[in-house]
Structure formats: structure tokens, C-alpha cells
Amino acid sequence: NNSIGRYSNDFELVIRASKELEYLLETHFQAPSGKEYGIHEKISLAQHEGAPLSSNIVRQMRYLITIRNRIVHERDFNCIPERQSFVQTFDKIETELKDLIPDANKNCVI
């Protein structure tokens, strides 16, 4: 099972989801790397073919990162509300982002 939902601990799930989004943004969508930029800034600066990512993808990523921030920083916020929705949203965004990445072997004839 490759879904992020395979992690039963909500803390692990949100951290792994945010790390994966950050990796995709930095390696394929020109988001800056480094600790001087927060992930919300990286989402704002990410681009695909010279244009910002769609407002729908941006909004959904911001939702996931807001949940992550609340779990990490708010003392009494210790679980993902609507966990299944969080997992489905992450899986959908991950697929959409990966679909935008050019496939180096797409034009190969085998």
C-alpha cells in the first residue's frame, strides 16, 4: 500500500505528507530549498512551466500544511480531523503533482 494513509500515527502521517510535498515542490516545481523558507512560502513560489500552480492545488496543499502546523504547534491539537479526507486530499495532490512532472522516458520507443 503506497498511500500515506498506511501510517497509523497522525503525527507521522502529517510529517511524512508535508516532507513529500516539500520534496516535490523543491525538486520539480522550482520552489526554493532551505530552512529560510517555510512550506507555505514554497507553495506560493512553486511553478510549473513558468506559471504558478493551479489555485485548486495550492488551496488543497495549504489545507494539508495548516493541519500539519496545528498538530505540531498547538498543544491541544493532537489528531487529524477528518483523517480519511486528509489522506484522500494528499493522495490526490501527490498524483496531480507527479502527473505534471515530465517523464524522461515518455518519448522512447522500446
Side-chain angles (χ1 to χ4, degrees), residues 1 10-11 17 19-20 26 33-34 39 42 48 50 60 63 67-69 73 78 88 92:
N1 181 3
D10 284 0
F11 285 83
K19 284 173 65 173
E20 185 62 21
E26 289 176 1
S33 61
I39 192 154
K42 292 178 184 190
H48 175 63
Q60 291 178 24
Y63 162 75
I67 298 297
R68 175 252 181 228
N69 287 346
H73 298 293
N78 294 307
Q88 289 171 340
K92 181 175 178 263

Side-chain angles (χ1 to χ4, degrees), residues 2-21:
N2 286 337
S3 170
I4 198 82
R6 70 185 177 276
Y7 300 107
S8 60
N9 179 295
D10 284 0
F11 285 83
E12 182 176 14
L13 192 152
V14 298
I15 297 301
R16 287 186 181 268
S18 61
K19 284 173 65 173
E20 185 62 21
L21 287 178

